[in-house]
């Protein structure tokens, strides 16, 4: 109709759309879903993703190839922190997020970011499991989900790439073309070997409960990254992040604050994010529902994310 010049007839057509017989929803077991994901060819894992802004605001297609996400600033061969300080001069100094002791969380309204302290016992934070060399020796052969700043934004699980933990740790600290946007381990804890889960159990049990009268079941994700960007700007349900090693800079703002904003980067690292903090090892950060956030790792980091199940 459009090609014939009679597009106006389109609105008058008496028709309905029906799903085709072969477009039914199908439920499969988690093990089968994992196998399907694991066997996706690497070149097809990100073909469905739209362009997103890189840290300098240049629109790029997400890819597991690190050379495709190199930034202009990083091309000057600076360290990741030196490069990010060009965008955010207060990278290692500015922090405007309140800190509340875990004993006082009953006073929180849970409508803005907050850091909860004294949650993780110091004995846990000093465990050898947090050491990357120990992880490589003990669990280097374990298959984990990996990605980078861009590939993990849309869906950190389905867009991820399988890799041995040993290769992921090596890839995250050397050998990448763009050291700002290196390899990130982002792997559901339930997919790890049983003995690894046992090691992490005391950490998961240490997460504070928003409402002890109606505890929310949570799913946990192990995250490991080197100095440089974590997952790029994204939002999801209210979440907690327990940092166990290293330091992270967080940039956060409510969804309404970015309504109508087209060019989010690099402004999100300054005026476009209302809340910023430097999370220390042993602290738990709460990010409210639907708040945009982005992470920059100031050094090697290891932590656990908790989302509603």
């Amino acid at each position: 109709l459009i090609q014939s010049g009679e597009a106006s007839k389109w609105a008058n057509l008496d028709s309905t759309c029906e799903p085709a017989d072969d477009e039914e929803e199908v439920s499969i077991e988690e093990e089968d879903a994992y196998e399907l994901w694991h066997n996706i060819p690497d070149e097809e894992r990100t073909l469905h993703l739209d362009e997103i802004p890189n840290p300098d605001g240049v629109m790029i297609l997400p890819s597991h190839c690190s050379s495709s996400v190199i930034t202009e600033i990083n091309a000057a061969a600076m360290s990741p922190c030196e490069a990010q300080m060009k965008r955010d001069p207060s990278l290692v100094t500015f922090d405007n997020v309140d800190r509340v002791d875990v004993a006082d969380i009953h006073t929180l309204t849970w409508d803005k970011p907050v850091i909860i302290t004294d949650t993780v016992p110091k004995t846990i934070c000093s465990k050898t499991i947090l050491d990357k060399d120990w992880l490589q020796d003990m669990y280097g052969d374990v298959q984990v989900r990996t990605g980078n700043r861009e590939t993990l934004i849309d869906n950190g699980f389905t867009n991820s790439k399988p890799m041995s933990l040993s290769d992921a740790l090596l890839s995250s600290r050397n050998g990448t073309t763009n050291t700002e946007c290196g390899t990130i381990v982002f792997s559901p804890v339930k997919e790890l070997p049983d003995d690894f889960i046992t090691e992490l159990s005391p950490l998961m049990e240490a997460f504070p409960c928003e409402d002890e009268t109606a505890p929310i079941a949570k799913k946990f994700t192990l995250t490991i990254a080197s100095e440089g960007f974590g997952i790029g700007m994204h939002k999801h349900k209210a979440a907690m992040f327990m940092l166990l090693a290293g330091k992270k800079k967080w940039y956060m703002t409510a969804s309404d604050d970015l309504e109508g904003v087209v060019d989010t980067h690099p402004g999100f690292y300054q005026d476009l994010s209302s809340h910023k903090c430097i999370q220390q090892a042993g602290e738990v950060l709460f990010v409210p529902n639907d708040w945009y956030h982005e992470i920059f790792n100031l050094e090697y980091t290891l932590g656990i994310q908790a989302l509603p199940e």
Side-chain angles (χ1 to χ4, degrees):
L1 288 173
I2 292 174
Q3 290 176 343
S4 65
E6 298 179 282
S8 60
K9 290 184 178 181
W10 180 264
N12 298 321
L13 291 177
D14 184 17
S15 63
T16 58
C17 292
E18 296 289 346
D21 292 338
D22 61 348
E23 291 188 3
E24 299 176 357
E25 289 188 3
V26 178
S27 296
I28 61 175
E29 296 295 326
E30 282 191 5
E31 293 81 359
D32 296 330
Y34 179 85
E35 191 68 24
L36 286 171
W37 163 80
H38 196 276
N39 293 330
I40 298 173
D42 287 349
E43 64 273 12
E44 296 180 12
R45 292 183 181 276
T46 57
L47 290 179
H48 61 289
L49 299 178
D50 295 327
E51 286 187 328
I52 59 170
N54 76 356
D56 299 318
V58 177
M59 300 303 293
I60 61 171
L61 284 170
S63 170
H64 286 289
C65 175
S66 62
S67 60
S68 68
V69 294
I70 193 165
T71 59
E72 294 178 12
I73 288 179
N74 189 247
M78 291 180 277
S79 72
C81 280
E82 289 172 334
Q84 182 61 0
M85 287 187 74
K86 297 289 185 180
R87 307 180 188 98
D88 174 18
S90 63
L91 176 67
V92 296
T93 56
F94 188 80
D95 186 323
N96 66 346
V97 173
D98 293 336
R99 282 170 166 76
V100 175
D101 188 276
V102 67
D104 299 320
I105 62 172
H106 62 279
T107 64
L108 297 176
T109 56
W110 305 104
D111 59 353
K112 63 180 181 179
V114 63
I115 285 179
I116 303 168
T117 60
D118 295 326
T119 298
V120 187
K122 289 183 172 59
T123 53
I124 295 180
C125 275
S126 63
K127 291 186 69 173
T128 54
I129 189 174
L130 309 182
D131 180 75
K132 53 189 170 186
D133 293 325
W134 184 87
L135 283 172
Q136 186 164 319
D137 291 341
M138 293 296 296
Y139 298 106
D141 294 335
V142 172
Q143 289 285 300
V144 293
R145 298 184 187 242
T146 68
N148 57 45
R149 176 188 180 273
E150 281 77 27
T151 61
L152 295 174
I153 287 177
D154 178 70
N155 187 311
F157 299 126
T158 59
N159 301 332
S160 56
K161 173 183 174 180
M163 187 180 294
S164 71
L165 180 58
S166 179
D167 288 344
L169 290 172
L170 289 172
S171 177
S172 68
R173 49 185 166 176
N174 41 254
T176 55
T177 303
N178 181 7
T179 57
E180 280 197 283
C181 303
T183 300
I184 302 166
V185 173
F186 192 74
S187 217
V189 170
K190 65 182 180 181
E191 293 179 358
L192 300 173
D194 290 343
D195 57 336
F196 201 167
I197 295 175
T198 300
E199 292 276 8
L200 296 174
S201 290
L203 302 170
M204 295 183 287
E205 293 169 0
F207 269 91
C209 184
E210 299 96 316
D211 184 356
E212 293 188 358
T213 63
I216 300 172
K218 292 181 170 64
K219 54 185 178 183
F220 302 97
T221 304
L222 174 69
T223 71
I224 305 174
S226 288
E227 179 186 342
F229 283 100
I231 302 176
M233 191 185 82
H234 64 291
K235 63 179 181 177
H236 44 62
K237 294 179 180 179
M240 288 186 182
F241 188 87
M242 177 186 290
L243 186 60
L244 299 162
K247 292 188 291 186
K248 286 179 178 282
K249 180 67 176 273
W250 290 76
Y251 304 91
M252 300 165 282
T253 202
S255 294
D256 292 346
D257 294 342
L258 292 184
E259 187 173 352
V261 177
V262 177
D263 299 323
T264 56
H265 289 72
F268 192 65
Y269 307 126
Q270 295 194 40
D271 297 341
L272 292 183
S273 54
S274 61
H275 289 66
K276 304 175 184 66
C277 70
I278 300 171
Q279 186 183 17
Q280 308 285 339
E283 295 181 333
V284 174
L285 173 67
F286 170 77
V287 181
N289 187 58
D290 269 353
W291 271 57
Y292 282 109
H293 53 286
E294 183 166 349
I295 308 102
F296 187 89
N297 300 290
L298 297 170
E299 54 192 53
Y300 164 80
T301 63
L302 183 149
I304 299 177
Q305 179 197 69
L307 273 168
E309 181 65 73

